[in-house]
Amino acid sequence: MKKDIFNFIKKLTIIAIPIIIQQFFLNIASLLDTMMVGKLDNASVSGVFIANQIIFVMNLLIFGATEGGSIFFSQFYGSKDKKYMTQCFSFKLLMSFILALICIIVALTCNKQLVLLFTNDEAEIIIACKYLKLITIQLIPYAITSSISTCLRESHKTVLPMIITGIGAIINFGVNFILIFGYLNMPKMGATGAAVGTIVERFFEMIILIIFIIFKKYDFVYDIKNNIKVDKNLFSKLIVRSIPLILNEGLWALGQTMLVFIFNKNDPIATVALPIATTIYNLIFVVCLGFGQSITILIGNLLGEGKNKESKQKSYISMAYSLIVGIVLGCILTILAPVISSSYTGLEENVRQLGKYLIYVYSIYVIICSCNNSFFFIIRSGGKSIIVILFDSFYSWGIQIPLSFLLLKITNLPLIYFVMVVYAIDLLKFVAGFFLIISGKWIKNLTNISNNNQIKHSID
Protein backbone atom coordinates (compact mmCIF):
# COMPACT_ATOMS: atom_id res chain seq x y z
CA MET A 1 0.00 0.00 0.00
CA LYS A 2 2.80 2.40 0.95
CA LYS A 3 4.58 1.62 -2.30
CA ASP A 4 1.39 2.29 -4.25
CA ILE A 5 0.97 5.67 -2.51
CA PHE A 6 4.61 6.55 -3.18
CA ASN A 7 4.33 5.60 -6.86
CA PHE A 8 1.20 7.72 -7.30
CA ILE A 9 2.78 10.74 -5.61
CA LYS A 10 5.90 10.24 -7.71
CA LYS A 11 3.90 10.10 -10.94
CA LEU A 12 1.81 13.09 -9.80
CA THR A 13 4.96 15.09 -9.12
CA ILE A 14 6.67 14.14 -12.39
CA ILE A 15 3.67 15.39 -14.39
CA ALA A 16 3.14 18.42 -12.16
CA ILE A 17 6.67 19.86 -12.07
CA PRO A 18 6.88 20.92 -15.76
CA ILE A 19 3.33 22.34 -15.50
CA ILE A 20 4.32 24.26 -12.36
CA ILE A 21 7.48 25.59 -14.01
CA GLN A 22 5.50 26.61 -17.09
CA GLN A 23 2.93 28.47 -14.99
CA PHE A 24 5.76 29.91 -12.90
CA PHE A 25 7.33 31.41 -16.03
CA LEU A 26 3.98 32.98 -16.95
CA ASN A 27 3.47 34.41 -13.48
CA ILE A 28 7.05 35.57 -12.96
CA ALA A 29 6.64 37.56 -16.18
CA SER A 30 3.45 39.04 -14.71
CA LEU A 31 5.25 39.80 -11.44
CA LEU A 32 8.12 41.52 -13.25
CA ASP A 33 5.60 43.47 -15.36
CA THR A 34 3.83 44.68 -12.23
CA MET A 35 7.11 45.56 -10.51
CA MET A 36 8.33 47.50 -13.57
CA VAL A 37 5.01 49.33 -13.88
CA GLY A 38 5.20 49.86 -10.11
CA LYS A 39 8.23 52.06 -10.66
CA LEU A 40 6.05 54.51 -12.63
CA ASP A 41 3.14 55.73 -10.47
CA ASN A 42 -0.05 54.70 -8.66
CA ALA A 43 -2.32 55.37 -11.67
CA SER A 44 -0.27 53.07 -13.93
CA VAL A 45 -0.32 50.21 -11.40
CA SER A 46 -4.05 50.58 -10.80
CA GLY A 47 -4.90 51.01 -14.52
CA VAL A 48 -2.96 47.90 -15.58
CA PHE A 49 -4.41 45.91 -12.67
CA ILE A 50 -7.98 46.84 -13.63
CA ALA A 51 -7.44 45.94 -17.29
CA ASN A 52 -5.83 42.66 -16.29
CA GLN A 53 -8.84 41.81 -14.12
CA ILE A 54 -11.00 42.04 -17.26
CA ILE A 55 -8.50 40.03 -19.33
CA PHE A 56 -8.35 37.49 -16.50
CA VAL A 57 -12.07 36.81 -16.97
CA MET A 58 -11.67 36.50 -20.75
CA ASN A 59 -8.65 34.20 -20.50
CA LEU A 60 -10.55 31.92 -18.13
CA LEU A 61 -13.55 31.83 -20.44
CA ILE A 62 -11.26 30.67 -23.25
CA PHE A 63 -9.59 28.16 -20.96
CA GLY A 64 -13.05 26.97 -19.94
CA ALA A 65 -13.77 26.29 -23.61
CA THR A 66 -11.01 23.66 -23.57
CA GLU A 67 -12.10 22.01 -20.31
CA GLY A 68 -14.92 19.89 -21.70
CA GLY A 69 -12.53 18.49 -24.30
CA SER A 70 -9.85 18.02 -21.62
CA ILE A 71 -12.08 15.85 -19.43
CA PHE A 72 -12.86 13.52 -22.34
CA PHE A 73 -9.29 13.70 -23.66
CA SER A 74 -7.80 12.49 -20.34
CA GLN A 75 -10.18 9.55 -20.22
CA PHE A 76 -9.65 8.70 -23.92
CA TYR A 77 -5.92 8.77 -23.26
CA GLY A 78 -6.50 6.27 -20.45
CA SER A 79 -8.54 4.05 -22.81
CA LYS A 80 -5.90 4.56 -25.55
CA ASP A 81 -8.16 5.98 -28.25
CA LYS A 82 -6.39 8.08 -30.91
CA LYS A 83 -9.41 8.93 -33.01
CA TYR A 84 -11.42 10.49 -30.22
CA MET A 85 -8.35 12.22 -28.77
CA THR A 86 -7.94 14.00 -32.11
CA GLN A 87 -11.60 14.92 -32.22
CA CYS A 88 -11.36 16.35 -28.69
CA PHE A 89 -8.44 18.50 -29.85
CA SER A 90 -10.48 19.69 -32.83
CA PHE A 91 -13.36 20.56 -30.51
CA LYS A 92 -11.05 22.54 -28.20
CA LEU A 93 -9.74 24.63 -31.09
CA LEU A 94 -13.23 25.42 -32.36
CA MET A 95 -14.73 26.42 -29.01
CA SER A 96 -11.77 28.45 -27.75
CA PHE A 97 -11.41 30.32 -31.06
CA ILE A 98 -15.11 31.29 -31.08
CA LEU A 99 -14.92 32.54 -27.50
CA ALA A 100 -11.73 34.49 -28.22
CA LEU A 101 -13.48 36.36 -31.06
CA ILE A 102 -16.47 37.16 -28.84
CA CYS A 103 -14.20 38.46 -26.07
CA ILE A 104 -12.24 40.66 -28.49
CA ILE A 105 -15.45 42.25 -29.80
CA VAL A 106 -16.66 42.94 -26.24
CA ALA A 107 -13.30 44.38 -25.14
CA LEU A 108 -13.01 46.70 -28.15
CA THR A 109 -16.58 48.00 -28.03
CA CYS A 110 -17.24 48.14 -24.28
CA ASN A 111 -13.80 48.76 -22.77
CA LYS A 112 -14.65 52.05 -21.02
CA GLN A 113 -17.89 50.69 -19.58
CA LEU A 114 -15.97 47.72 -18.18
CA VAL A 115 -13.24 49.89 -16.66
CA LEU A 116 -15.80 52.23 -15.07
CA LEU A 117 -17.00 49.31 -12.96
CA PHE A 118 -13.73 49.59 -11.02
CA THR A 119 -12.72 53.25 -10.97
CA ASN A 120 -13.81 56.83 -11.71
CA ASP A 121 -10.27 58.20 -11.69
CA GLU A 122 -9.63 59.77 -15.11
CA ALA A 123 -5.93 58.91 -15.24
CA GLU A 124 -6.61 55.26 -14.35
CA ILE A 125 -9.43 55.05 -16.90
CA ILE A 126 -7.22 56.32 -19.73
CA ILE A 127 -4.40 53.88 -18.91
CA ALA A 128 -6.74 50.91 -18.40
CA CYS A 129 -8.71 51.49 -21.63
CA LYS A 130 -5.57 51.92 -23.73
CA TYR A 131 -4.01 48.81 -22.21
CA LEU A 132 -7.20 46.75 -22.62
CA LYS A 133 -7.69 47.63 -26.30
CA LEU A 134 -4.16 46.49 -27.08
CA ILE A 135 -3.89 43.40 -24.87
CA THR A 136 -7.01 41.76 -26.37
CA ILE A 137 -4.96 40.92 -29.47
CA GLN A 138 -3.30 38.14 -27.46
CA LEU A 139 -6.59 36.27 -27.03
CA ILE A 140 -6.40 34.57 -30.45
CA PRO A 141 -2.91 33.05 -30.00
CA TYR A 142 -3.83 32.26 -26.39
CA ALA A 143 -6.85 30.23 -27.58
CA ILE A 144 -4.74 28.17 -30.00
CA THR A 145 -1.88 27.74 -27.53
CA SER A 146 -4.25 26.63 -24.74
CA SER A 147 -5.81 23.98 -26.99
CA ILE A 148 -2.43 22.54 -27.93
CA SER A 149 -0.80 22.83 -24.50
CA THR A 150 -3.67 21.14 -22.65
CA CYS A 151 -3.57 18.20 -25.07
CA LEU A 152 0.18 17.85 -24.57
CA ARG A 153 -0.25 17.87 -20.78
CA GLU A 154 -3.06 15.32 -20.92
CA SER A 155 -0.76 13.13 -23.05
CA HIS A 156 1.82 13.35 -20.21
CA LYS A 157 4.05 15.50 -22.46
CA THR A 158 4.56 18.46 -20.16
CA VAL A 159 8.19 19.41 -20.84
CA LEU A 160 7.71 21.00 -24.28
CA PRO A 161 5.08 23.55 -23.17
CA MET A 162 7.30 24.36 -20.19
CA ILE A 163 10.35 25.11 -22.35
CA ILE A 164 8.41 27.20 -24.86
CA THR A 165 6.70 29.21 -22.13
CA GLY A 166 10.06 29.80 -20.42
CA ILE A 167 11.58 31.22 -23.59
CA GLY A 168 8.42 33.26 -24.15
CA ALA A 169 8.65 34.71 -20.63
CA ILE A 170 12.23 35.83 -21.28
CA ILE A 171 11.12 37.50 -24.53
CA ASN A 172 8.22 39.13 -22.67
CA PHE A 173 10.54 40.53 -20.01
CA GLY A 174 12.99 41.88 -22.59
CA VAL A 175 10.31 43.60 -24.66
CA ASN A 176 8.65 45.03 -21.55
CA PHE A 177 11.91 46.34 -20.11
CA ILE A 178 12.76 48.11 -23.34
CA LEU A 179 9.32 49.56 -24.09
CA ILE A 180 8.13 50.48 -20.58
CA PHE A 181 11.22 52.62 -19.92
CA GLY A 182 12.21 53.45 -23.51
CA TYR A 183 15.64 51.81 -23.69
CA LEU A 184 17.66 51.12 -26.90
CA ASN A 185 16.24 54.28 -28.53
CA MET A 186 12.73 52.81 -28.44
CA PRO A 187 9.75 54.97 -27.46
CA LYS A 188 8.95 55.13 -23.74
CA MET A 189 5.48 53.52 -23.74
CA GLY A 190 4.97 53.15 -19.98
CA ALA A 191 2.17 50.73 -19.05
CA THR A 192 1.31 50.09 -22.71
CA GLY A 193 4.75 48.54 -23.21
CA ALA A 194 3.74 45.72 -20.84
CA ALA A 195 0.83 44.86 -23.16
CA VAL A 196 3.13 44.69 -26.19
CA GLY A 197 5.46 42.27 -24.38
CA THR A 198 2.57 39.93 -23.59
CA ILE A 199 1.33 40.00 -27.21
CA VAL A 200 4.80 39.16 -28.57
CA GLU A 201 5.10 36.28 -26.08
CA ARG A 202 1.69 34.80 -27.01
CA PHE A 203 2.39 34.80 -30.76
CA PHE A 204 5.84 33.28 -30.21
CA GLU A 205 4.36 30.40 -28.17
CA MET A 206 1.61 29.76 -30.70
CA ILE A 207 3.94 29.61 -33.71
CA ILE A 208 6.46 27.28 -32.04
CA LEU A 209 3.76 24.90 -30.76
CA ILE A 210 2.13 24.69 -34.20
CA ILE A 211 5.50 23.85 -35.76
CA PHE A 212 6.08 21.10 -33.19
CA ILE A 213 2.71 19.37 -33.57
CA ILE A 214 3.10 19.39 -37.37
CA PHE A 215 6.52 17.73 -37.31
CA LYS A 216 6.22 15.52 -34.21
CA LYS A 217 2.82 14.07 -35.22
CA TYR A 218 1.50 13.61 -31.70
CA ASP A 219 -1.34 11.16 -30.98
CA PHE A 220 -3.94 13.94 -30.84
CA VAL A 221 -3.26 14.86 -34.47
CA TYR A 222 -3.73 11.24 -35.57
CA ASP A 223 -5.23 11.15 -39.10
CA ILE A 224 -6.39 14.73 -38.48
CA LYS A 225 -7.71 15.20 -42.03
CA ASN A 226 -10.36 12.57 -41.36
CA ASN A 227 -10.84 13.32 -37.67
CA ILE A 228 -11.06 17.13 -37.82
CA LYS A 229 -14.83 16.71 -37.86
CA VAL A 230 -16.20 15.56 -34.52
CA ASP A 231 -18.64 12.64 -34.48
CA LYS A 232 -22.20 13.77 -33.73
CA ASN A 233 -22.49 11.53 -30.70
CA LEU A 234 -19.23 12.78 -29.21
CA PHE A 235 -19.95 16.39 -30.18
CA SER A 236 -23.26 16.38 -28.32
CA LYS A 237 -21.58 14.93 -25.22
CA LEU A 238 -18.76 17.46 -25.44
CA ILE A 239 -21.24 20.33 -25.71
CA VAL A 240 -23.27 19.04 -22.76
CA ARG A 241 -20.11 18.90 -20.62
CA SER A 242 -18.41 22.01 -22.02
CA ILE A 243 -21.08 24.70 -21.80
CA PRO A 244 -21.52 24.33 -18.01
CA LEU A 245 -17.72 24.36 -17.60
CA ILE A 246 -17.37 27.50 -19.73
CA LEU A 247 -20.10 29.15 -17.68
CA ASN A 248 -18.39 27.98 -14.51
CA GLU A 249 -15.02 29.47 -15.48
CA GLY A 250 -16.66 32.72 -16.57
CA LEU A 251 -18.81 33.02 -13.46
CA TRP A 252 -15.93 32.10 -11.17
CA ALA A 253 -13.64 34.65 -12.83
CA LEU A 254 -16.38 37.29 -12.66
CA GLY A 255 -16.79 36.38 -9.01
CA GLN A 256 -13.09 37.00 -8.33
CA THR A 257 -13.34 40.30 -10.20
CA MET A 258 -16.44 41.17 -8.18
CA LEU A 259 -14.43 40.62 -5.00
CA VAL A 260 -11.89 43.17 -6.25
CA PHE A 261 -14.82 45.56 -6.85
CA ILE A 262 -16.04 44.95 -3.28
CA PHE A 263 -12.56 45.43 -1.84
CA ASN A 264 -12.28 48.70 -3.76
CA LYS A 265 -15.62 49.84 -2.32
CA ASN A 266 -14.25 49.11 1.14
CA ASP A 267 -11.13 51.18 0.41
CA PRO A 268 -10.16 52.75 -2.96
CA ILE A 269 -6.51 52.02 -2.22
CA ALA A 270 -7.28 48.33 -2.83
CA THR A 271 -6.60 48.49 -6.59
CA VAL A 272 -3.09 49.78 -5.82
CA ALA A 273 -2.22 47.55 -2.83
CA LEU A 274 -3.84 44.32 -4.08
CA PRO A 275 -1.50 43.97 -7.12
CA ILE A 276 1.45 43.71 -4.71
CA ALA A 277 -0.14 40.77 -2.89
CA THR A 278 -2.07 39.04 -5.69
CA THR A 279 0.86 38.96 -8.10
CA ILE A 280 3.15 37.11 -5.70
CA TYR A 281 0.24 34.94 -4.52
CA ASN A 282 -0.53 33.95 -8.11
CA LEU A 283 3.14 33.15 -8.60
CA ILE A 284 3.13 30.82 -5.59
CA PHE A 285 -0.31 29.35 -6.32
CA VAL A 286 0.93 27.89 -9.63
CA VAL A 287 2.23 25.00 -7.54
CA CYS A 288 -1.34 24.19 -6.47
CA LEU A 289 -2.57 24.57 -10.06
CA GLY A 290 0.17 22.31 -11.38
CA PHE A 291 -0.66 19.57 -8.91
CA GLY A 292 -4.38 20.11 -9.53
CA GLN A 293 -4.00 19.64 -13.28
CA SER A 294 -1.85 16.54 -12.79
CA ILE A 295 -4.49 15.18 -10.40
CA THR A 296 -7.25 15.55 -12.97
CA ILE A 297 -5.03 13.95 -15.66
CA LEU A 298 -4.10 10.88 -13.61
CA ILE A 299 -7.50 10.31 -12.05
CA GLY A 300 -9.11 10.90 -15.46
CA ASN A 301 -6.81 8.24 -16.91
CA LEU A 302 -7.89 5.79 -14.19
CA LEU A 303 -11.56 6.51 -14.85
CA GLY A 304 -10.99 5.96 -18.58
CA GLU A 305 -9.47 2.58 -17.76
CA GLY A 306 -12.57 1.71 -15.70
CA LYS A 307 -10.69 1.74 -12.37
CA ASN A 308 -13.31 3.60 -10.35
CA LYS A 309 -12.34 2.19 -6.96
CA GLU A 310 -8.68 3.02 -7.48
CA SER A 311 -9.53 6.54 -8.66
CA LYS A 312 -11.39 7.16 -5.39
CA GLN A 313 -8.44 5.88 -3.35
CA LYS A 314 -6.08 8.15 -5.27
CA SER A 315 -8.38 11.12 -4.62
CA TYR A 316 -7.78 10.65 -0.85
CA ILE A 317 -4.02 10.69 -1.39
CA SER A 318 -4.38 13.83 -3.53
CA MET A 319 -6.32 15.62 -0.78
CA ALA A 320 -3.69 14.88 1.87
CA TYR A 321 -0.86 15.89 -0.45
CA SER A 322 -2.56 19.20 -1.30
CA LEU A 323 -2.78 20.09 2.40
CA ILE A 324 0.97 19.58 2.84
CA VAL A 325 1.68 21.64 -0.30
CA GLY A 326 -0.51 24.47 1.00
CA ILE A 327 1.31 24.64 4.34
CA VAL A 328 4.71 24.80 2.63
CA LEU A 329 3.53 27.55 0.27
CA GLY A 330 2.12 29.55 3.19
CA CYS A 331 5.53 29.52 4.87
CA ILE A 332 7.21 30.71 1.67
CA LEU A 333 4.75 33.61 1.29
CA THR A 334 5.40 34.70 4.88
CA ILE A 335 9.14 34.85 4.23
CA LEU A 336 8.76 36.74 0.94
CA ALA A 337 6.25 39.37 2.15
CA PRO A 338 8.68 42.13 3.24
CA VAL A 339 11.01 41.57 0.28
CA ILE A 340 8.25 41.85 -2.34
CA SER A 341 6.49 44.86 -0.83
CA SER A 342 9.71 46.87 -0.48
CA SER A 343 10.50 46.44 -4.20
CA TYR A 344 7.60 48.71 -5.26
CA THR A 345 9.68 51.88 -4.97
CA GLY A 346 7.28 54.00 -7.03
CA LEU A 347 4.45 53.54 -4.53
CA GLU A 348 3.78 55.36 -1.27
CA GLU A 349 5.00 53.79 1.98
CA ASN A 350 1.50 53.15 3.37
CA VAL A 351 0.58 51.27 0.18
CA ARG A 352 3.68 49.08 0.41
CA GLN A 353 2.94 48.29 4.06
CA LEU A 354 -0.65 47.36 3.26
CA GLY A 355 0.59 45.14 0.43
CA LYS A 356 2.90 43.34 2.86
CA TYR A 357 0.10 42.66 5.34
CA LEU A 358 -2.11 41.40 2.51
CA ILE A 359 0.61 38.90 1.58
CA TYR A 360 0.53 37.65 5.19
CA VAL A 361 -3.22 37.11 4.80
CA TYR A 362 -2.63 35.16 1.59
CA SER A 363 -0.02 32.99 3.37
CA ILE A 364 -2.87 31.54 5.46
CA TYR A 365 -5.45 31.60 2.68
CA VAL A 366 -3.24 29.54 0.35
CA ILE A 367 -3.60 26.50 2.66
CA ILE A 368 -7.39 26.53 2.25
CA CYS A 369 -7.10 27.25 -1.46
CA SER A 370 -4.65 24.42 -2.07
CA CYS A 371 -7.15 21.93 -0.65
CA ASN A 372 -10.15 23.47 -2.44
CA ASN A 373 -8.17 23.47 -5.67
CA SER A 374 -7.50 19.73 -5.42
CA PHE A 375 -11.19 19.12 -4.65
CA PHE A 376 -12.13 21.04 -7.81
CA PHE A 377 -9.79 19.08 -10.08
CA ILE A 378 -10.81 15.74 -8.60
CA ILE A 379 -14.49 16.53 -9.21
CA ARG A 380 -13.71 17.80 -12.72
CA SER A 381 -11.94 14.57 -13.69
CA GLY A 382 -15.29 12.73 -13.48
CA GLY A 383 -16.91 15.14 -15.91
CA LYS A 384 -20.03 15.83 -13.83
CA SER A 385 -20.34 19.46 -14.87
CA ILE A 386 -23.31 20.33 -12.66
CA ILE A 387 -21.43 19.26 -9.52
CA VAL A 388 -18.44 21.34 -10.68
CA ILE A 389 -20.67 24.43 -11.07
CA LEU A 390 -22.31 23.92 -7.67
CA PHE A 391 -18.93 23.54 -5.98
CA ASP A 392 -17.20 26.43 -7.77
CA SER A 393 -19.22 29.29 -9.26
CA PHE A 394 -22.47 28.66 -7.35
CA TYR A 395 -20.49 28.88 -4.13
CA SER A 396 -18.90 32.17 -5.27
CA TRP A 397 -22.17 33.85 -6.32
CA GLY A 398 -24.51 32.13 -3.87
CA ILE A 399 -22.44 32.38 -0.70
CA GLN A 400 -19.12 34.27 -0.81
CA ILE A 401 -20.15 37.37 -2.79
CA PRO A 402 -23.52 37.95 -1.01
CA LEU A 403 -21.83 37.58 2.39
CA SER A 404 -19.06 39.96 1.25
CA PHE A 405 -21.62 42.59 0.20
CA LEU A 406 -23.42 42.14 3.52
CA LEU A 407 -20.13 42.59 5.37
CA LEU A 408 -19.46 45.75 3.34
CA LYS A 409 -22.85 47.21 4.28
CA ILE A 410 -22.91 46.44 8.00
CA THR A 411 -19.24 46.97 8.97
CA ASN A 412 -16.49 49.55 8.61
CA LEU A 413 -13.60 47.13 8.82
CA PRO A 414 -10.18 48.31 7.61
CA LEU A 415 -9.25 46.71 4.27
CA ILE A 416 -6.83 44.16 5.74
CA TYR A 417 -9.43 42.75 8.18
CA PHE A 418 -12.16 42.93 5.58
CA VAL A 419 -10.10 40.78 3.19
CA MET A 420 -9.33 38.31 5.98
CA VAL A 421 -13.01 37.78 6.80
CA VAL A 422 -14.06 37.50 3.14
CA TYR A 423 -11.45 34.82 2.42
CA ALA A 424 -12.27 32.96 5.65
CA ILE A 425 -15.67 32.20 4.09
CA ASP A 426 -13.83 29.68 1.88
CA LEU A 427 -13.75 27.34 4.88
CA LEU A 428 -17.38 26.53 4.02
CA LYS A 429 -16.25 25.44 0.56
CA PHE A 430 -13.51 23.31 2.12
CA VAL A 431 -15.99 21.38 4.27
CA ALA A 432 -18.42 20.87 1.36
CA GLY A 433 -15.61 19.72 -0.97
CA PHE A 434 -14.21 17.25 1.55
CA PHE A 435 -17.52 15.44 2.04
CA LEU A 436 -18.27 15.56 -1.72
CA ILE A 437 -15.01 13.74 -2.53
CA ILE A 438 -15.63 11.17 0.22
CA SER A 439 -19.12 10.47 -1.20
CA GLY A 440 -17.71 9.43 -4.61
CA LYS A 441 -20.60 11.11 -6.46
CA TRP A 442 -18.12 12.75 -8.85
CA ILE A 443 -16.96 9.41 -10.37
CA LYS A 444 -18.02 8.68 -13.97
CA ASN A 445 -16.45 6.91 -16.99
CA LEU A 446 -17.08 8.95 -20.16
CA THR A 447 -15.35 6.81 -22.78
CA ASN A 448 -18.21 4.46 -23.72
CA ILE A 449 -19.73 6.55 -26.48
CA SER A 450 -19.68 4.25 -29.51
CA ASN A 451 -22.78 2.29 -30.52
CA ASN A 452 -21.56 -0.96 -29.05
CA ASN A 453 -19.98 0.76 -26.03
CA GLN A 454 -16.51 -0.44 -27.05
CA ILE A 455 -13.54 1.70 -27.95
CA LYS A 456 -12.11 0.39 -31.19
CA HIS A 457 -9.44 2.93 -32.13
CA SER A 458 -6.49 2.15 -29.92
CA ILE A 459 -3.04 3.63 -29.84
CA ASP A 460 -0.56 1.35 -31.50
Side-chain angles (χ1 to χ4, degrees):
M1 182 64 180
K2 288 183 179 180
K3 185 177 180 181
D4 187 47
I5 293 172
F6 175 79
N7 287 337
F8 178 75
I9 291 176
K10 181 180 177 182
K11 189 180 292 186
L12 192 69
T13 305
I14 289 171
I15 294 175
I17 286 176
I19 298 174
I20 292 167
I21 295 173
Q22 180 187 8
Q23 294 297 320
F24 178 82
F25 284 141
L26 287 171
N27 284 276
I28 195 69
S30 177
L31 173 64
L32 292 171
D33 286 357
T34 306
M35 291 175 68
M36 284 187 279
V37 173
K39 294 183 180 297
L40 300 175
D41 51 53
N42 284 13
S44 294
V45 173
S46 184
V48 170
F49 179 67
I50 289 167
N52 277 330
Q53 285 300 303
I54 298 166
I55 287 296
F56 169 69
V57 175
M58 294 178 176
N59 280 343
L60 272 184
L61 278 171
I62 293 168
F63 177 74
T66 69
E67 283 196 302
S70 290
I71 292 169
F72 279 84
F73 191 103
S74 291
Q75 294 203 18
F76 283 131
Y77 185 84
S79 63
K80 306 191 184 307
D81 188 297
K82 275 187 180 180
K83 174 184 173 181
Y84 286 126
M85 286 165 62
T86 304
Q87 291 187 18
C88 287
F89 171 55
S90 177
F91 180 83
K92 287 184 185 186
L93 282 173
L94 174 65
M95 294 295 290
S96 60
F97 190 78
I98 290 171
L99 269 175
L101 289 177
I102 293 171
C103 289
I104 288 172
I105 292 169
V106 171
L108 293 178
T109 56
C110 305
N111 56 84
K112 188 169 184 179
Q113 291 88 334
L114 294 171
V115 171
L116 283 170
L117 294 173
F118 297 90
T119 182
N120 291 315
D121 184 278
E122 190 61 34
E124 293 177 4
I125 291 170
I126 291 171
I127 292 171
C129 287
K130 188 176 181 181
Y131 186 94
L132 185 58
K133 285 180 182 178
L134 187 57
I135 198 69
T136 50
I137 298 171
Q138 62 88 32
L139 293 175
I140 293 295
Y142 176 74
I144 297 170
T145 299
S146 295
S147 300
I148 298 172
S149 293
T150 52
C151 286
L152 286 170
R153 290 174 190 168
E154 290 142 21
S155 304
H156 299 196
K157 296 175 177 65
T158 54
V159 175
L160 176 61
M162 175 195 74
I163 294 172
I164 293 173
T165 300
I167 298 171
I170 295 170
I171 293 171
N172 187 354
F173 171 74
V175 174
N176 287 348
F177 186 75
I178 293 168
L179 295 182
I180 289 174
F181 303 110
Y183 291 114
L184 301 179
N185 295 320
M186 296 297 290
K188 185 178 180 180
M189 299 176 68
T192 308
V196 175
T198 301
I199 293 167
V200 172
E201 176 190 7
R202 294 286 192 233
F203 275 99
F204 166 80
E205 291 172 351
M206 179 191 71
I207 291 168
I208 299 300
L209 280 173
I210 289 173
I211 291 172
F212 264 92
I213 66 168
I214 289 173
F215 286 98
K216 294 290 285 185
K217 297 180 180 179
Y218 293 110
D219 292 330
F220 59 87
V221 291
Y222 162 76
D223 195 16
I224 195 164
K225 290 182 180 179
N226 294 319
N227 290 319
I228 193 71
K229 185 178 179 181
V230 184
D231 290 350
K232 289 182 180 180
N233 195 17
L234 176 59
F235 186 83
S236 63
K237 291 180 180 292
L238 283 165
I239 287 291
V240 167
R241 304 288 175 185
S242 294
I243 291 179
L245 291 171
I246 293 170
L247 290 173
N248 179 68
E249 291 297 331
L251 288 171
W252 181 85
L254 284 171
Q256 297 306 299
T257 304
M258 181 59 70
L259 287 180
V260 173
F261 172 81
I262 295 170
F263 293 151
N264 193 50
K265 287 295 181 183
N266 174 267
D267 190 339
I269 202 173
T271 55
V272 184
L274 277 172
I276 299 174
T278 55
T279 306
I280 184 62
Y281 172 77
N282 291 338
L283 182 63
I284 291 294
F285 193 68
V286 300
V287 177
C288 301
L289 290 176
F291 278 111
Q293 290 181 35
S294 60
I295 286 169
T296 204
I297 289 168
L298 290 180
I299 293 181
N301 292 164
L302 291 171
L303 291 171
E305 294 173 40
K307 299 177 180 178
N308 291 4
K309 184 177 179 180
E310 186 177 347
S311 68
K312 189 174 182 180
Q313 291 171 343
K314 295 302 188 290
S315 72
Y316 299 157
I317 299 170
S318 301
M319 288 192 296
Y321 197 36
S322 67
L323 177 61
I324 296 170
V325 169
I327 293 170
V328 172
L329 294 179
C331 294
I332 293 172
L333 275 175
T334 302
I335 295 168
L336 290 178
V339 179
I340 295 298
S341 60
S342 63
S343 67
Y344 287 79
T345 56
L347 303 183
E348 299 167 3
E349 177 62 25
N350 66 315
V351 177
R352 293 200 298 271
Q353 285 297 313
L354 181 57
K356 180 175 71 174
Y357 293 131
L358 285 169
I359 295 174
Y360 288 140
V361 172
Y362 281 122
S363 68
I364 300 171
Y365 181 57
V366 73
I367 300 172
I368 304 170
C369 271
S370 179
C371 295
N372 287 345
N373 179 72
S374 69
F375 297 161
F376 170 80
F377 280 103
I378 290 168
I379 295 166
R380 204 191 77 170
S381 67
K384 292 194 174 181
S385 305
I386 300 303
I387 296 179
V388 171
I389 288 180
L390 290 174
F391 179 72
D392 212 28
S393 57
F394 176 80
Y395 159 80
S396 293
W397 286 96
I399 298 175
Q400 188 179 42
I401 292 172
L403 288 178
S404 300
F405 266 117
L406 180 63
L407 188 68
L408 182 66
K409 293 294 182 182
I410 65 176
T411 70
N412 291 308
L413 287 173
L415 179 64
I416 187 70
Y417 298 114
F418 185 81
V419 172
M420 286 175 65
V421 176
V422 168
Y423 285 148
I425 299 171
D426 264 15
L427 286 169
L428 298 174
K429 187 176 184 180
F430 172 86
V431 174
F434 178 79
F435 285 106
L436 185 57
I437 300 301
I438 296 296
S439 72
K441 291 181 180 179
W442 52 274
I443 296 174
K444 186 175 178 63
N445 187 319
L446 304 170
T447 60
N448 295 325
I449 65 167
S450 56
N451 291 333
N452 59 0
N453 290 331
Q454 298 294 320
I455 301 300
K456 297 179 180 180
H457 310 277
S458 61
I459 297 175
D460 297 331

